Amino acid sequence: MRKSKLLTFLFAFIPGCGEMYLGMMRKGVFLMVLFWGINTLSIFLQMGVLLCLQPVIWFYSFFETFNIRDLPLDIIQQHDQLFFQKLTSRLGARELPRLLGSRHLWAGVVLILLGGWVLFQNFVVPLLELLFPTLAENWYFHYFLNQIPSAAVAVAVILLGIHLVRGKKKPREEDFVEYRGEQHD
């Protein structure tokens, strides 16, 4: 079934909507989540540099909509299925339980920190402002609170960089033992 050129053009302006309108539901949802997820992360972490990725995603989605518009529906759906298979294989969806099992400590730490931050922002800060009314009026207090997520990301990036620069621990010469064959007494 042929899709309307006008509706295709209008839907193409919203990342992912054009793909969904033409029948690529999985890819459309992925692009939409990616586009708005980057926006949300950049606001939450106060890292505006992430917004540089949004035009790339927008242009890709916009022009892909017009590239697939004239393809038959079965070819479009095959492309959508192939995209989903490649995405899940690259993200390690089959190996995700093993990856999370071996890295459960880091996943747990991230979840605890995120949950603690949400509790702190939604319960502790309002309680502090209620108990100390002058704190609520102090702009520096709110500025400091808003900088905590980006400072945490900066510290994590620095620690990761230090870890990468140091590399793996090189074995010392004493750790090597020369094999001289089996000795029989």
Side-chain angles (χ1 to χ4, degrees), residues 3 20 54 78 86-87 100 118 121 126 130 142 148 155:
K3 298 290 185 168
M20 288 192 286
Q54 282 189 316
Q78 286 176 359
K86 284 183 179 180
L87 179 68
L100 287 178
V118 170
Q121 280 288 88
L130 183 65
H142 292 286
I148 291 175
V155 168

Side-chain angles (χ1 to χ4, degrees), residues 27-40:
K27 191 168 192 177
V29 168
F30 173 78
L31 288 170
M32 193 175 282
V33 167
L34 183 65
F35 184 84
W36 294 110
I38 287 172
N39 190 46
T40 303

Side-chain angles (χ1 to χ4, degrees), residues 132-158:
F132 307 103
T134 57
L135 201 58
E137 299 167 5
N138 189 344
W139 68 270
Y140 203 73
F141 172 72
H142 292 286
Y143 174 78
F144 176 75
L145 286 179
N146 289 334
Q147 298 304 315
I148 291 175
S150 57
V153 169
V155 168
V157 168
I158 290 169

Side-chain angles (χ1 to χ4, degrees), residues 84-86 88-99:
F84 186 70
Q85 288 172 351
K86 284 183 179 180
T88 55
S89 69
R90 287 196 177 132
L91 293 178
R94 292 184 183 119
E95 297 181 18
L96 190 60
R98 184 186 61 81
L99 179 65

Side-chain angles (χ1 to χ4, degrees), residues 110-177:
V110 168
L111 290 174
I112 289 170
L113 290 174
L114 185 61
W117 176 252
V118 170
L119 283 174
F120 181 75
Q121 280 288 88
N122 293 326
F123 295 103
V124 175
V125 170
L127 182 63
L128 287 174
E129 290 175 346
L130 183 65
L131 294 174
F132 307 103
T134 57
L135 201 58
E137 299 167 5
N138 189 344
W139 68 270
Y140 203 73
F141 172 72
H142 292 286
Y143 174 78
F144 176 75
L145 286 179
N146 289 334
Q147 298 304 315
I148 291 175
S150 57
V153 169
V155 168
V157 168
I158 290 169
L159 291 175
L160 178 63
I162 291 171
H163 175 72
L164 292 174
V165 167
R166 288 178 51 194
K168 290 185 177 181
K169 184 178 176 184
K170 294 181 182 177
R172 298 174 296 181
E173 286 189 34
E174 303 106 36
D175 293 340
F176 292 105
V177 177

